[in-house]
Coordinates of all heavy atoms in Angstrom, one line a residue:
Chain Y
M1 N -6.2 -4.9 -2.5 CA -5.1 -5.9 -2.6 C -4.8 -6.1 -4.1 O -5.7 -6.2 -4.9 CB -5.5 -7.2 -2.0 CG -4.9 -7.4 -0.6 SD -5.2 -9.0 0.0 CE -5.1 -8.7 1.7
D5 N -7.4 -12.7 -6.3 CA -7.9 -13.7 -5.4 C -9.3 -14.0 -5.8 O -9.8 -13.5 -6.7 CB -7.7 -13.3 -3.9 CG -8.4 -12.0 -3.7 OD1 -9.4 -11.7 -4.2 OD2 -7.8 -11.2 -2.9
V7 N -11.9 -13.0 -4.4 CA -12.9 -11.9 -4.2 C -13.4 -11.3 -5.5 O -14.6 -11.2 -5.7 CB -12.3 -10.8 -3.3 CG1 -13.3 -9.7 -3.1 CG2 -11.9 -11.4 -2.0
Q8 N -12.5 -10.9 -6.3 CA -12.9 -10.3 -7.6 C -13.7 -11.2 -8.4 O -14.7 -10.8 -9.0 CB -11.6 -9.9 -8.5 CG -10.8 -8.8 -8.0 CD -9.7 -9.2 -7.1 OE1 -9.8 -10.2 -6.4 NE2 -8.6 -8.4 -7.1
R11 N -17.3 -11.7 -7.1 CA -18.1 -10.5 -7.3 C -18.4 -10.4 -8.8 O -19.6 -10.1 -9.2 CB -17.3 -9.3 -6.9 CG -17.0 -9.3 -5.4 CD -16.8 -7.9 -4.9 NE -17.9 -7.0 -5.2 CZ -19.1 -7.0 -4.6 NH1 -19.3 -7.9 -3.7 NH2 -20.0 -6.2 -5.0
R15 N -22.1 -10.3 -10.7 CA -22.4 -9.2 -11.6 C -22.9 -9.7 -12.9 O -23.8 -9.1 -13.5 CB -21.2 -8.3 -11.7 CG -21.5 -6.8 -11.8 CD -20.2 -6.0 -11.5 NE -19.0 -6.7 -11.5 CZ -18.1 -6.8 -12.5 NH1 -18.4 -6.2 -13.6 NH2 -17.0 -7.4 -12.4
V187 N -24.3 -18.9 9.7 CA -23.9 -17.7 10.4 C -22.9 -16.9 9.6 O -23.0 -15.7 9.4 CB -23.4 -18.0 11.8 CG1 -22.8 -16.7 12.5 CG2 -24.5 -18.5 12.7
R190 N -24.5 -15.5 6.4 CA -25.3 -14.4 6.7 C -24.4 -13.1 7.0 O -24.7 -12.0 6.5 CB -26.2 -14.7 7.8 CG -27.0 -13.5 8.4 CD -27.6 -12.6 7.4 NE -28.9 -13.2 6.9 CZ -29.1 -13.3 5.5 NH1 -28.2 -12.9 4.7 NH2 -30.2 -13.8 5.1
T191 N -23.4 -13.4 7.8 CA -22.5 -12.3 8.2 C -21.9 -11.6 6.9 O -21.8 -10.4 6.8 CB -21.4 -12.8 9.1 OG1 -22.0 -13.4 10.2 CG2 -20.5 -11.6 9.6
I192 N -21.4 -12.5 6.0 CA -20.8 -11.9 4.8 C -21.8 -11.1 4.0 O -21.4 -10.0 3.5 CB -20.3 -13.1 3.9 CG1 -19.1 -13.9 4.6 CG2 -19.9 -12.6 2.5 CD1 -18.8 -15.2 3.9
H193 N -23.0 -11.6 4.0 CA -24.0 -10.9 3.2 C -25.0 -10.0 4.1 O -26.2 -10.1 3.9 CB -24.8 -11.9 2.4 CG -24.0 -12.7 1.4 ND1 -23.6 -13.9 1.7 CD2 -23.5 -12.4 0.2 CE1 -22.8 -14.4 0.7 NE2 -22.8 -13.4 -0.2
S194 N -24.4 -9.3 5.0 CA -25.2 -8.5 5.9 C -24.7 -7.1 5.8 O -23.6 -6.8 5.2 CB -25.0 -8.9 7.3 OG -23.7 -8.6 7.8
P195 N -25.4 -6.1 6.3 CA -24.9 -4.7 6.3 C -23.5 -4.7 6.9 O -22.6 -4.0 6.4 CB -25.9 -4.0 7.2 CG -27.2 -4.7 7.0 CD -26.8 -6.2 6.9
F196 N -23.4 -5.4 8.0 CA -22.1 -5.5 8.7 C -21.0 -6.0 7.7 O -19.9 -5.5 7.6 CB -22.2 -6.4 9.9 CG -20.9 -6.7 10.6 CD1 -20.3 -5.7 11.4 CD2 -20.4 -8.0 10.6 CE1 -19.1 -6.0 12.1 CE2 -19.2 -8.2 11.3 CZ -18.5 -7.2 12.0
G197 N -21.3 -7.1 7.0 CA -20.4 -7.7 6.0 C -20.0 -6.7 5.0 O -18.8 -6.7 4.5
H198 N -20.9 -5.8 4.6 CA -20.5 -4.8 3.6 C -19.5 -3.8 4.2 O -18.6 -3.3 3.5 CB -21.7 -4.1 3.0 CG -22.5 -4.9 2.1 ND1 -22.3 -4.8 0.7 CD2 -23.4 -5.9 2.2 CE1 -23.0 -5.7 0.1 NE2 -23.7 -6.4 1.0
V199 N -19.7 -3.4 5.4 CA -18.7 -2.6 6.1 C -17.3 -3.3 6.1 O -16.3 -2.7 5.8 CB -19.1 -2.1 7.5 CG1 -18.1 -1.2 8.1 CG2 -20.4 -1.4 7.4
R201 N -16.2 -5.5 4.2 CA -15.6 -5.5 2.8 C -14.9 -4.2 2.5 O -13.9 -4.1 1.9 CB -16.7 -5.8 1.8 CG -16.2 -6.7 0.7 CD -17.4 -7.2 -0.1 NE -18.1 -8.2 0.7 CZ -19.2 -8.8 0.2 NH1 -19.8 -8.4 -0.9 NH2 -19.9 -9.7 0.9
S202 N -15.6 -3.1 2.9 CA -15.0 -1.8 2.6 C -13.7 -1.6 3.4 O -12.8 -0.9 2.9 CB -16.1 -0.7 2.9 OG -16.2 -0.4 4.3
I203 N -13.7 -2.1 4.6 CA -12.4 -2.0 5.4 C -11.3 -2.8 4.7 O -10.2 -2.4 4.6 CB -12.7 -2.6 6.8 CG1 -13.6 -1.7 7.6 CG2 -11.3 -2.7 7.6 CD1 -14.1 -2.2 8.9
R204 N -11.7 -4.0 4.2 CA -10.7 -4.8 3.5 C -10.2 -4.0 2.3 O -9.0 -4.1 1.9 CB -11.4 -6.1 3.1 CG -10.5 -7.0 2.2 CD -11.3 -8.0 1.5 NE -10.5 -9.0 0.8 CZ -10.0 -8.8 -0.4 NH1 -10.3 -7.7 -1.0 NH2 -9.3 -9.7 -0.9
E205 N -11.1 -3.4 1.6 CA -10.8 -2.7 0.3 C -10.0 -1.5 0.5 O -9.1 -1.2 -0.3 CB -12.1 -2.3 -0.4 CG -12.9 -3.5 -0.9 CD -12.2 -4.1 -2.2 OE1 -12.0 -3.3 -3.1 OE2 -11.9 -5.3 -2.2
N206 N -10.3 -0.7 1.5 CA -9.6 0.6 1.8 C -9.9 1.1 3.2 O -10.9 1.8 3.4 CB -10.1 1.6 0.7 CG -9.2 2.8 0.7 OD1 -8.6 3.2 1.7 ND2 -9.3 3.5 -0.4
E207 N -9.0 0.7 4.1 CA -9.2 1.0 5.5 C -9.3 2.5 5.8 O -10.2 2.9 6.5 CB -8.2 0.3 6.3 CG -8.5 0.4 7.8 CD -7.6 -0.4 8.7 OE1 -7.1 -1.5 8.2 OE2 -7.3 0.0 9.8
P208 N -8.3 3.3 5.3 CA -8.4 4.7 5.6 C -9.7 5.4 5.1 O -10.3 6.2 5.8 CB -7.2 5.3 4.9 CG -6.3 4.2 4.6 CD -7.1 3.0 4.5
R209 N -10.1 4.9 4.0 CA -11.4 5.5 3.4 C -12.6 5.1 4.3 O -13.4 6.0 4.6 CB -11.6 4.9 2.0 CG -12.7 5.5 1.3 CD -12.7 7.1 1.3 NE -13.7 7.7 0.5 CZ -14.1 8.9 0.6 NH1 -13.6 9.7 1.5 NH2 -15.0 9.4 -0.2
A210 N -12.6 3.9 4.7 CA -13.7 3.5 5.6 C -13.7 4.3 6.9 O -14.8 4.8 7.4 CB -13.6 2.0 6.0
L211 N -12.5 4.5 7.4 CA -12.4 5.4 8.6 C -12.9 6.8 8.3 O -13.6 7.4 9.1 CB -10.9 5.4 9.0 CG -10.5 5.9 10.3 CD1 -11.1 5.0 11.4 CD2 -9.0 5.8 10.5
S212 N -12.5 7.3 7.2 CA -12.9 8.7 6.8 C -14.4 8.8 6.6 O -14.9 9.9 6.5 CB -12.1 9.2 5.6 OG -12.6 8.7 4.4
L213 N -15.0 7.7 6.4 CA -16.5 7.8 6.2 C -17.2 7.6 7.5 O -18.4 7.6 7.6 CB -17.0 6.7 5.3 CG -16.5 6.8 3.8 CD1 -17.1 5.6 3.0 CD2 -17.0 8.1 3.2
G214 N -16.4 7.6 8.6 CA -17.0 7.6 9.9 C -17.2 6.2 10.6 O -17.9 6.1 11.6
Y215 N -16.6 5.2 10.0 CA -16.7 3.9 10.6 C -15.6 3.7 11.6 O -14.4 3.9 11.2 CB -16.7 2.8 9.5 CG -17.9 2.7 8.7 CD1 -17.9 3.1 7.3 CD2 -19.1 2.4 9.3 CE1 -19.1 3.1 6.6 CE2 -20.3 2.3 8.5 CZ -20.3 2.7 7.2 OH -21.4 2.7 6.5
D216 N -15.9 3.3 12.8 CA -14.9 3.0 13.7 C -14.3 1.6 13.4 O -14.7 0.6 13.9 CB -15.5 2.9 15.1 CG -15.4 4.2 15.8 OD1 -14.3 4.8 15.8 OD2 -16.4 4.7 16.4
V217 N -13.3 1.7 12.5 CA -12.8 0.5 11.9 C -12.4 -0.6 12.9 O -12.7 -1.8 12.8 CB -11.6 0.8 11.0 CG1 -10.8 -0.4 10.6 CG2 -12.1 1.6 9.8
R219 N -13.6 -1.2 15.8 CA -14.7 -2.0 16.4 C -15.3 -3.0 15.5 O -15.7 -4.1 15.9 CB -15.8 -1.0 16.9 CG -15.4 -0.2 18.1 CD -16.3 0.9 18.5 NE -17.7 0.4 18.8 CZ -18.8 1.1 18.8 NH1 -18.7 2.4 18.5 NH2 -19.9 0.6 19.0
Y220 N -15.3 -2.7 14.2 CA -15.8 -3.6 13.2 C -14.9 -4.8 13.1 O -15.3 -6.0 13.1 CB -16.0 -3.0 11.8 CG -17.2 -2.0 11.8 CD1 -17.0 -0.7 12.2 CD2 -18.4 -2.5 11.4 CE1 -18.1 0.1 12.2 CE2 -19.5 -1.6 11.4 CZ -19.4 -0.3 11.8 OH -20.4 0.5 11.9
V223 N -15.5 -7.1 16.2 CA -16.6 -7.9 16.1 C -16.4 -9.1 15.1 O -16.7 -10.2 15.4 CB -17.9 -7.1 15.7 CG1 -19.1 -8.0 15.4 CG2 -18.2 -6.1 16.8
I227 N -16.6 -13.1 16.1 CA -17.4 -14.1 15.4 C -16.5 -15.2 14.9 O -16.8 -16.4 15.0 CB -18.2 -13.4 14.3 CG1 -19.2 -12.3 14.8 CG2 -19.0 -14.4 13.4 CD1 -19.9 -11.5 13.7
R323 N -16.6 -17.4 -15.8 CA -16.8 -16.1 -16.2 C -16.3 -15.8 -17.7 O -16.9 -15.1 -18.4 CB -16.1 -15.1 -15.3 CG -15.6 -13.9 -15.9 CD -15.7 -12.7 -15.0 NE -14.4 -12.5 -14.2 CZ -13.8 -11.3 -14.3 NH1 -14.3 -10.3 -15.0 NH2 -12.7 -11.1 -13.6
Chain K
F61 N -6.1 11.7 11.5 CA -5.3 10.5 11.0 C -3.9 10.6 11.6 O -3.2 9.5 11.6 CB -5.3 10.5 9.5 CG -6.5 9.9 8.8 CD1 -7.7 10.4 9.0 CD2 -6.4 8.6 8.2 CE1 -8.9 9.8 8.5 CE2 -7.5 8.0 7.6 CZ -8.8 8.6 7.8
R80 N -11.2 10.8 17.8 CA -10.8 9.7 16.9 C -11.2 10.1 15.5 O -12.2 10.8 15.3 CB -11.4 8.4 17.3 CG -10.7 7.8 18.6 CD -11.4 6.6 19.1 NE -12.7 7.0 19.6 CZ -13.8 6.4 19.3 NH1 -13.8 5.4 18.4 NH2 -14.9 6.8 19.8
P81 N -10.6 9.6 14.5 CA -10.9 9.9 13.1 C -12.4 9.7 12.7 O -13.0 10.6 12.1 CB -10.0 9.0 12.2 CG -9.0 8.4 13.1 CD -9.4 8.6 14.5
A82 N -12.9 8.6 13.1 CA -14.3 8.3 12.8 C -15.3 9.3 13.4 O -16.3 9.6 12.9 CB -14.7 6.8 13.2
A85 N -15.4 12.5 11.5 CA -16.2 12.3 10.3 C -17.7 12.3 10.6 O -18.5 12.9 9.9 CB -15.9 10.9 9.6
R86 N -18.0 11.7 11.8 CA -19.4 11.7 12.2 C -19.9 13.1 12.6 O -21.1 13.4 12.6 CB -19.7 10.7 13.3 CG -19.5 9.3 12.8 CD -20.2 8.3 13.7 NE -19.5 8.2 15.0 CZ -18.6 7.3 15.3 NH1 -18.2 6.4 14.4 NH2 -18.0 7.3 16.4
V90 N -15.6 15.7 6.6 CA -15.2 14.5 5.9 C -14.1 14.9 4.9 O -14.2 15.9 4.2 CB -16.4 13.9 5.2 CG1 -16.0 12.6 4.4 CG2 -17.5 13.6 6.2
R91 N -13.1 14.0 4.8 CA -12.0 14.3 3.9 C -12.0 13.4 2.6 O -12.6 12.3 2.6 CB -10.7 14.0 4.6 CG -10.5 12.6 4.9 CD -9.2 12.3 5.5 NE -8.1 12.7 4.6 CZ -6.8 12.6 5.0 NH1 -6.5 12.0 6.1 NH2 -5.9 13.0 4.2
F93 N -8.9 11.9 -0.3 CA -7.5 11.6 -0.2 C -6.8 12.1 -1.5 O -7.4 12.2 -2.5 CB -7.3 10.1 0.0 CG -7.7 9.7 1.3 CD1 -9.1 9.4 1.5 CD2 -6.8 9.5 2.4 CE1 -9.5 8.9 2.8 CE2 -7.3 9.1 3.6 CZ -8.6 8.8 3.8
A97 N -9.3 7.5 -3.6 CA -9.6 6.5 -2.5 C -11.0 6.0 -2.8 O -12.0 6.5 -2.2 CB -9.5 7.1 -1.1
V98 N -11.1 5.0 -3.6 CA -12.4 4.3 -3.8 C -12.2 2.9 -3.2 O -11.2 2.5 -2.7 CB -12.8 4.2 -5.3 CG1 -13.0 5.5 -5.9 CG2 -11.7 3.4 -6.1
F99 N -13.3 2.2 -3.1 CA -13.2 0.8 -2.8 C -13.2 0.0 -4.0 O -14.2 -0.3 -4.7 CB -14.5 0.4 -1.9 CG -14.6 1.2 -0.7 CD1 -15.7 2.1 -0.5 CD2 -13.7 1.1 0.4 CE1 -15.8 2.8 0.6 CE2 -13.8 1.8 1.5 CZ -14.9 2.7 1.7
P100 N -11.9 -0.5 -4.4 CA -11.7 -0.9 -5.8 C -12.6 -2.1 -6.3 O -13.1 -2.1 -7.4 CB -10.2 -1.3 -5.8 CG -9.8 -1.3 -4.4 CD -10.7 -0.4 -3.6
N101 N -12.9 -3.1 -5.4 CA -13.6 -4.2 -5.9 C -15.1 -4.1 -5.6 O -15.8 -5.1 -5.7 CB -13.1 -5.5 -5.3 CG -11.7 -5.9 -5.9 OD1 -11.6 -6.0 -7.1 ND2 -10.7 -6.0 -5.0
L102 N -15.6 -2.9 -5.2 CA -17.0 -2.7 -5.0 C -17.5 -2.0 -6.3 O -16.7 -1.3 -6.9 CB -17.3 -1.9 -3.8 CG -16.9 -2.4 -2.4 CD1 -17.5 -1.6 -1.3 CD2 -17.2 -3.9 -2.2
T103 N -18.7 -2.2 -6.6 CA -19.3 -1.5 -7.8 C -19.4 0.0 -7.4 O -19.4 0.4 -6.3 CB -20.7 -2.1 -8.2 OG1 -21.6 -1.8 -7.1 CG2 -20.6 -3.5 -8.5
E106 N -22.2 0.4 -5.0 CA -21.8 0.0 -3.7 C -20.9 0.9 -3.0 O -21.0 1.1 -1.7 CB -21.2 -1.4 -3.7 CG -22.2 -2.5 -4.0 CD -21.5 -3.9 -4.3 OE1 -20.3 -3.8 -4.8 OE2 -22.1 -4.9 -4.1
R109 N -23.0 3.5 -1.6 CA -24.0 2.9 -0.6 C -23.3 2.7 0.7 O -23.9 2.8 1.8 CB -24.5 1.6 -1.2 CG -25.8 1.2 -0.4 CD -26.3 -0.1 -1.0 NE -25.3 -1.2 -0.9 CZ -25.5 -2.4 -1.4 NH1 -26.6 -2.7 -2.1 NH2 -24.6 -3.4 -1.2
V110 N -22.0 2.3 0.7 CA -21.3 2.1 1.9 C -21.3 3.4 2.8 O -21.5 3.3 4.0 CB -19.8 1.7 1.7 CG1 -19.0 1.8 3.0 CG2 -19.8 0.2 1.2
A111 N -21.2 4.5 2.1 CA -21.2 5.8 2.9 C -22.6 6.0 3.4 O -22.8 6.5 4.5 CB -20.7 6.9 2.0
Q113 N -24.9 3.9 4.1 CA -25.3 2.8 5.0 C -25.3 3.2 6.5 O -26.1 2.7 7.2 CB -24.4 1.6 4.7 CG -24.8 0.3 5.3 CD -23.8 -0.8 5.2 OE1 -23.1 -0.8 4.1 NE2 -23.6 -1.6 6.2
R114 N -24.3 4.0 6.8 CA -24.2 4.3 8.3 C -25.5 4.9 8.8 O -25.8 4.7 10.0 CB -23.0 5.2 8.5 CG -22.4 5.1 9.9 CD -21.0 5.6 9.9 NE -20.8 6.9 9.3 CZ -21.2 8.1 9.7 NH1 -21.9 8.2 10.8 NH2 -21.0 9.2 9.0
T118 N -27.6 0.2 11.0 CA -27.6 -1.3 11.1 C -26.2 -1.8 10.7 O -26.1 -3.0 10.4 CB -28.6 -1.9 10.1 OG1 -28.3 -1.5 8.8 CG2 -30.1 -1.5 10.4
S119 N -25.2 -1.0 10.8 CA -24.0 -1.4 10.3 C -23.3 -2.5 11.1 O -22.3 -3.1 10.6 CB -23.0 -0.2 10.1 OG -23.5 0.6 9.0
F120 N -23.7 -2.7 12.3 CA -23.2 -3.8 13.1 C -24.1 -5.1 13.0 O -23.8 -6.1 13.6 CB -23.0 -3.4 14.5 CG -21.7 -2.7 14.8 CD1 -21.7 -1.4 15.1 CD2 -20.5 -3.4 14.8 CE1 -20.5 -0.7 15.3 CE2 -19.3 -2.7 15.0 CZ -19.3 -1.4 15.2
H121 N -25.2 -5.0 12.3 CA -26.2 -6.1 12.3 C -25.7 -7.2 11.3 O -26.0 -7.2 10.1 CB -27.5 -5.5 11.8 CG -28.2 -4.6 12.8 ND1 -29.5 -4.2 12.8 CD2 -27.7 -4.1 13.9 CE1 -29.7 -3.4 13.8 NE2 -28.6 -3.3 14.5
F122 N -25.0 -8.1 11.9 CA -24.4 -9.2 11.0 C -25.5 -10.3 10.8 O -25.2 -11.2 10.0 CB -23.1 -9.8 11.6 CG -23.3 -10.4 13.0 CD1 -23.8 -11.7 13.1 CD2 -23.0 -9.6 14.1 CE1 -23.9 -12.2 14.4 CE2 -23.1 -10.2 15.4 CZ -23.6 -11.5 15.5
W123 N -26.6 -10.2 11.4 CA -27.7 -11.2 11.3 C -28.7 -10.8 10.3 O -29.6 -11.5 9.9 CB -28.3 -11.4 12.6 CG -28.9 -10.2 13.2 CD1 -30.1 -9.6 13.0 CD2 -28.2 -9.3 14.1 NE1 -30.2 -8.5 13.7 CE2 -29.0 -8.2 14.4 CE3 -26.9 -9.3 14.7 CZ2 -28.7 -7.1 15.2 CZ3 -26.5 -8.2 15.5 CH2 -27.4 -7.2 15.8
K124 N -28.6 -9.6 9.8 CA -29.6 -9.0 8.9 C -29.2 -9.3 7.4 O -28.0 -9.2 7.1 CB -29.7 -7.5 9.1 CG -31.1 -7.0 8.8 CD -31.2 -5.5 9.2 CE -32.4 -5.3 10.0 NZ -32.2 -4.4 11.1
S125 N -30.1 -9.5 6.5 CA -29.8 -9.7 5.1 C -29.4 -8.3 4.5 O -29.9 -7.3 4.9 CB -31.0 -10.2 4.4 OG -30.8 -10.1 3.0
D126 N -28.5 -8.4 3.5 CA -28.1 -7.2 2.8 C -29.2 -6.6 1.9 O -29.0 -5.6 1.3 CB -26.7 -7.3 2.1 CG -26.7 -8.5 1.2 OD1 -27.7 -9.1 0.9 OD2 -25.6 -8.8 0.7
S128 N -31.7 -5.5 2.9 CA -32.2 -4.3 3.7 C -31.4 -3.0 3.2 O -31.8 -1.9 3.6 CB -31.9 -4.5 5.2 OG -30.6 -4.6 5.4
L129 N -30.4 -3.2 2.4 CA -29.6 -2.0 2.0 C -30.2 -1.4 0.7 O -29.9 -0.3 0.3 CB -28.2 -2.3 1.7 CG -27.4 -2.8 2.9 CD1 -26.0 -3.2 2.5 CD2 -27.3 -1.8 4.0
D150 N -23.1 -0.4 -12.1 CA -22.6 -1.8 -11.8 C -21.2 -2.0 -12.3 O -20.8 -3.2 -12.2 CB -23.6 -2.8 -12.5 CG -25.0 -2.7 -11.9 OD1 -25.0 -2.5 -10.6 OD2 -26.0 -2.8 -12.6
V152 N -17.3 -2.2 -11.7 CA -16.4 -2.2 -10.5 C -15.5 -1.0 -10.5 O -14.9 -0.7 -11.6 CB -15.6 -3.6 -10.6 CG1 -14.8 -3.7 -9.3 CG2 -16.6 -4.7 -10.6
E165 N -15.3 9.3 -5.9 CA -14.9 9.6 -4.5 C -15.6 10.8 -4.0 O -16.1 10.8 -2.8 CB -13.4 9.9 -4.6 CG -12.7 9.8 -3.2 CD -11.3 10.3 -3.3 OE1 -10.7 10.1 -4.4 OE2 -10.8 10.8 -2.3
T168 N -19.1 9.8 -3.1 CA -19.1 9.0 -1.9 C -19.0 10.0 -0.6 O -19.7 9.8 0.4 CB -17.9 8.0 -1.8 OG1 -18.0 7.2 -3.0 CG2 -18.0 7.1 -0.6
T169 N -18.1 11.0 -0.8 CA -18.0 11.9 0.3 C -19.3 12.7 0.5 O -19.7 12.9 1.7 CB -16.8 12.9 0.0 OG1 -15.7 12.2 -0.3 CG2 -16.6 13.9 1.1
L172 N -22.4 11.5 2.7 CA -22.4 11.7 4.1 C -23.1 13.0 4.4 O -23.2 13.4 5.6 CB -21.0 11.6 4.8 CG -20.3 10.3 4.6 CD1 -19.0 10.4 5.3 CD2 -21.1 9.2 5.3

Side-chain angles (χ1 to χ4, degrees):
Chain Y
M1 264 187 202
D5 55 39
V7 177
Q8 286 96 328
R11 297 203 55 74
R15 217 160 14 97
V187 170
R190 171 47 78 230
T191 304
I192 292 168
H193 299 99
S194 70
F196 176 70
H198 283 265
V199 178
R201 217 167 289 174
S202 76
I203 293 172
R204 172 195 189 278
E205 292 285 306
N206 192 336
E207 185 172 331
R209 184 53 171 162
L211 194 61
S212 79
L213 294 179
Y215 289 112
D216 268 313
V217 166
R219 289 174 58 200
Y220 288 86
V223 173
I227 296 174
R323 146 147 96 123
Chain K
F61 276 65
R80 284 171 295 125
R86 291 199 293 265
V90 181
R91 70 175 300 179
F93 293 82
V98 294
F99 300 113
N101 289 304
L102 303 190
T103 64
E106 286 170 333
R109 197 179 63 185
V110 165
Q113 190 187 325
R114 203 160 48 71
T118 59
S119 290
F120 277 106
H121 292 191
F122 60 84
W123 55 88
K124 208 176 230 138
S125 164
D126 53 9
S128 63
L129 298 176
D150 292 324
V152 182
E165 197 187 332
T168 306
T169 305
L172 298 180

